[in-house]
């Protein structure tokens, strides 16, 4: 991702631009101001422009606007800028709620009316599907709005400043790499902001800190272990408890759980409706994680088989489903377990597949073809890899019926999607 990450894992190596230098002919430096006409958004969620033939990205602009923007970084392939003044505003512009908007690049679209954000996310999904002939005729429904537009996120990873900002938590701007102190994040759950206020300025000798919270329980884990002098804030726990639709889930610190639990509940209702689950189906849940979908969908099917390769996630999944008797789990790679299921003669009525951002393993897609469920629900947080994987399935006998974009991440460029395929 190009914007400030809320993830604390080691930073992934960025794809470096290796083409011709597109900005060397300009005598431009950081701090200069450019007058620009904002064009379409790029994959970073930033408006684009051109300045003396050089590509420009404009954080804080909306397509169609005329703005003056400050240069924050000059790359070989583009000039990164930040809006300073809007000379001709879009009708979709609103006042950002967060005082750090723009300076912190974690949210890209707080300045855009929420209705328009939903429309843009639908367009993103439609554009991704349009790259494949097999997908162009699929119906893309309206984006499902989030029940909460701010303070929805249950997981934060803060950078801790250095030098004069030692001990202070915040984020780094994706382009300028400048550290931004953050005392309250507008998209973080209130429990996270309360914990942040207890720790702010006290995180000496630390470089990053992760705070995860059960939005419906208040249960909190902080990692890594805080310095010995901080005794009033517990840290170092390995699990926390969340509650969704009356069901409690234990989640290991290393495991994935949806960051927007209110929207997760709405998504379950949508999946039940789209898949037409009425109690008689055998459902396979690939990449099942801690068993959230397996557990929440179990009342609507005859049986669920969850498949996950993470040992800690499977351990949590089994604990989360201990009170239901129609869910079983297989610890294995999705591609291997699915093939074994097909060889065993297991009849699968429906499958739900919720892969990581990189998409499905090619062998998992092959296994799905062999399993041949009548319906498949793909849950994806990356429209590009989703479209790629849907195309593979559609070339092997499935038909893409509909796609429902879901706003799991309000105020940001990210969009979730539910794609229904039928045999």
């Amino acid at each position: 991702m190009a914007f400030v990450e809320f993830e604390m894992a080691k930073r992934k190596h960025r794809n470096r631009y290796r083409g011709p230098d597109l900005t060397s002919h300009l005598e431009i430096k950081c701090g200069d101001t450019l007058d620009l006409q904002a064009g379409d958004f790029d994959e970073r969620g930033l408006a684009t422009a051109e300045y003396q033939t050089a590509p420009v990205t404009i954080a804080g602009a909306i397509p169609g606007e005329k703005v003056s923007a400050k240069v924050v970084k000059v790359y070989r392939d583009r000039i990164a800028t930040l809006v300073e003044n809007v000379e001709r505003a879009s009708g979709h512009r609103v006042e950002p709620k967060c005082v750090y908007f723009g300076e912190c690049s974690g949210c890209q679209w707080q300045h855009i009316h929420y209705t328009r954000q939903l429309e843009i996310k639908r367009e993103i999904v439609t554009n991704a599907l349009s790259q494949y002939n097999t997908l162009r005729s699929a119906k893309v429904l309206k984006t499902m709005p989030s029940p909460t537009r701010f303070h929805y996120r249950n997981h934060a990873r803060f950078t801790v400043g250095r030098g004069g900002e030692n001990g202070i938590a915040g984020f780094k701007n994706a382009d300028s790499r400048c550290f931004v102190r953050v005392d309250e994040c507008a998209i973080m759950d209130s429990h996270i902001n309360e914990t942040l206020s207890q720790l702010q300025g006290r995180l000496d000798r630390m470089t990053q800190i992760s705070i995860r919270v059960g939005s419906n329980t208040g249960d909190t884990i902080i990692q890594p272990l805080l310095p010995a002098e901080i005794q009033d804030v517990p840290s170092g726990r390995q699990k926390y408890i969340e509650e969704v639709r009356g069901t409690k889930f234990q989640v290991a610190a290393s495991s994935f759980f949806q960051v927007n639990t209110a929207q997760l509940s709405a998504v379950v209702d949508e999946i039940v409706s789209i898949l037409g689950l009425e109690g008689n189906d055998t459902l396979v849940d690939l990449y099942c994680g801690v068993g959230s979908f397996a557990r929440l969908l179990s009342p609507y099917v005859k049986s669920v088989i969850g498949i996950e390769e993470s040992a800690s996630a499977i351990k949590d999944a089994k604990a989360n489903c201990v009170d239901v008797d129609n869910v079983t789990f297989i610890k294995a790679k999705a591609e291997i377990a699915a093939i074994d299921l097909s060889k065993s003669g297991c009849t699968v009525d429906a499958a739900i597949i919720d892969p990581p951002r990189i998409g499905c393993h090619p062998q998992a897609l092959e296994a799905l073809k062999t399993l041949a469920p009548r319906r498949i629900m793909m849950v994806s947080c990356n429209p590009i890899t989703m479209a790629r994987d849907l195309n593979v399935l559609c070339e092997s006998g499935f038909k893409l019926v509909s796609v429902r974009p879901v706003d799991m991440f309000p105020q940001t460029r990210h969009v979730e999607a539910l794609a229904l395929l039928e045999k």
Side-chain angles (χ1 to χ4, degrees):
M1 304 176 189
F3 68 106
V4 168
E5 287 286 356
F6 295 116
E7 310 301 330
M8 194 173 71
K10 286 185 179 179
R11 209 173 148 162
K12 293 182 179 178
H13 179 69
R14 295 185 177 186
N15 292 327
R16 296 187 179 278
Y17 175 73
R18 301 185 184 281
D21 194 327
L22 305 178
T23 61
S24 60
H25 63 288
L26 301 173
E27 293 185 0
I28 287 179
K29 61 184 183 299
C30 292
D32 288 348
T33 300
L34 307 180
D35 293 325
L36 301 166
Q37 177 75 39
D40 292 339
F41 289 119
D42 67 359
E43 70 280 0
R44 305 174 188 86
L46 306 176
T48 55
E50 188 176 276
Y51 183 79
Q52 295 184 18
T53 73
V56 181
T57 55
I58 321 169
I62 303 174
E65 291 187 328
K66 186 176 180 181
V67 303
S68 58
K70 180 177 67 175
V71 175
V72 297
K73 183 77 172 180
V74 179
Y75 297 96
R76 285 170 51 87
D77 61 330
R78 66 184 174 99
I79 303 167
T81 69
L82 173 64
V83 167
E84 284 194 320
N85 184 53
V86 180
E87 298 176 15
R88 185 177 68 234
S90 164
H92 302 300
R93 177 170 284 276
V94 296
E95 187 68 24
K97 179 176 180 176
C98 182
V99 297
Y100 308 110
F101 179 73
E103 186 182 6
C104 165
S105 52
C107 296
Q108 298 79 46
W109 292 346
Q110 276 194 38
H111 63 306
I112 303 174
H113 192 281
Y114 188 64
T115 300
R116 180 57 185 152
Q117 289 187 38
L118 298 178
E119 293 172 348
I120 295 169
K121 294 188 177 188
R122 181 175 183 268
E123 292 165 6
I124 290 172
V125 172
T126 301
N127 290 338
L129 298 177
S130 71
Q131 305 305 307
Y132 300 91
N133 291 332
T134 59
L135 311 179
R136 288 174 182 166
S137 62
K139 184 177 183 180
V140 181
L141 305 173
K142 290 184 178 180
T143 305
M144 182 190 302
S146 174
T148 52
R149 302 174 188 180
F150 292 94
H151 300 298
Y152 61 85
R153 191 178 173 98
N154 60 23
H155 189 185
R157 297 187 187 273
F158 295 101
T159 295
V160 179
R162 298 179 180 179
E165 296 159 333
N166 189 41
I168 295 172
F171 299 117
K172 281 190 176 181
N173 184 282
D175 285 316
S176 71
R177 306 308 300 162
C178 290
F179 176 80
V180 182
R181 173 177 176 147
V182 174
D183 292 318
E184 180 179 355
C185 178
I187 66 172
M188 294 300 169
D189 185 281
S190 59
H191 294 95
I192 290 178
N193 284 321
E194 290 167 7
T195 301
L196 175 63
S197 68
Q198 293 179 277
L199 297 174
Q200 189 61 285
R202 305 169 63 193
L203 300 171
D204 298 339
R205 302 189 307 280
M206 301 191 72
T207 57
Q208 289 185 320
I209 181 173
S210 167
I211 305 174
R212 297 183 73 170
V213 64
S215 295
N216 298 312
T217 63
D219 199 23
T220 303
I221 58 174
I222 300 171
Q223 289 193 327
L225 192 67
L226 293 172
E229 58 267 25
I230 302 180
Q231 297 292 323
D232 57 317
V233 182
S235 65
R237 290 176 56 204
Q238 297 303 309
K239 296 180 185 294
Y240 73 101
I241 303 297
E242 178 58 290
E243 183 175 336
V244 183
R245 299 167 72 95
T247 297
K248 284 186 165 55
F249 291 88
Q250 77 172 29
V251 185
S254 59
S255 295
F256 169 81
F257 199 83
Q258 286 287 3
V259 299
N260 186 339
T261 50
Q263 185 70 309
L264 172 61
S265 179
V267 164
V268 170
D269 287 331
E270 191 73 6
I271 291 174
V272 170
S273 175
I274 294 175
L275 278 178
L277 301 177
E278 296 180 347
N280 299 317
D281 294 307
T282 295
L283 173 71
V284 169
D285 182 6
L286 295 178
Y287 304 101
C288 71
V290 299
S292 51
F293 281 131
R295 177 63 181 83
L296 295 173
L297 293 173
S298 63
Y300 305 96
V301 297
K302 181 174 68 175
S303 62
V304 184
I305 303 170
I307 300 172
E308 171 61 50
E309 67 174 305
S310 166
S312 64
I314 280 288
K315 184 178 180 180
D316 285 340
K318 290 179 178 179
N320 294 332
C321 295
V322 70
D323 61 335
V324 292
D325 58 9
N326 65 338
V327 180
T328 57
F329 292 101
I330 300 172
K331 181 190 172 301
K333 292 182 181 294
E335 55 272 19
I336 296 174
I339 290 173
D340 289 343
L341 277 177
S342 64
K343 289 180 179 179
S344 72
C346 177
T347 300
V348 176
D349 300 296
I352 181 169
I353 180 166
D354 185 8
R357 284 190 61 80
I358 59 173
C360 302
H361 192 288
Q363 292 179 9
L365 296 176
E366 288 297 320
L368 271 176
K369 299 176 194 177
T370 305
L371 275 176
R374 291 184 290 110
R375 289 152 291 158
I376 297 174
M377 173 64 68
M378 183 178 290
V379 183
S380 173
C381 60
N382 185 338
I384 300 301
T385 58
M386 177 189 72
R388 178 200 68 201
D389 294 341
L390 289 174
N391 179 61
V392 172
L393 292 170
C394 286
E395 287 182 337
S396 64
F398 289 94
K399 178 184 178 181
L400 179 61
V401 178
S402 65
V403 180
R404 168 74 79 181
V406 177
D407 192 16
M408 193 69 73
F409 317 98
Q411 318 308 329
T412 79
R413 65 178 176 86
H414 293 288
V415 55
E416 196 102 350
L418 308 176
L420 173 65
L421 299 108
E422 291 183 351
K423 190 67 177 172

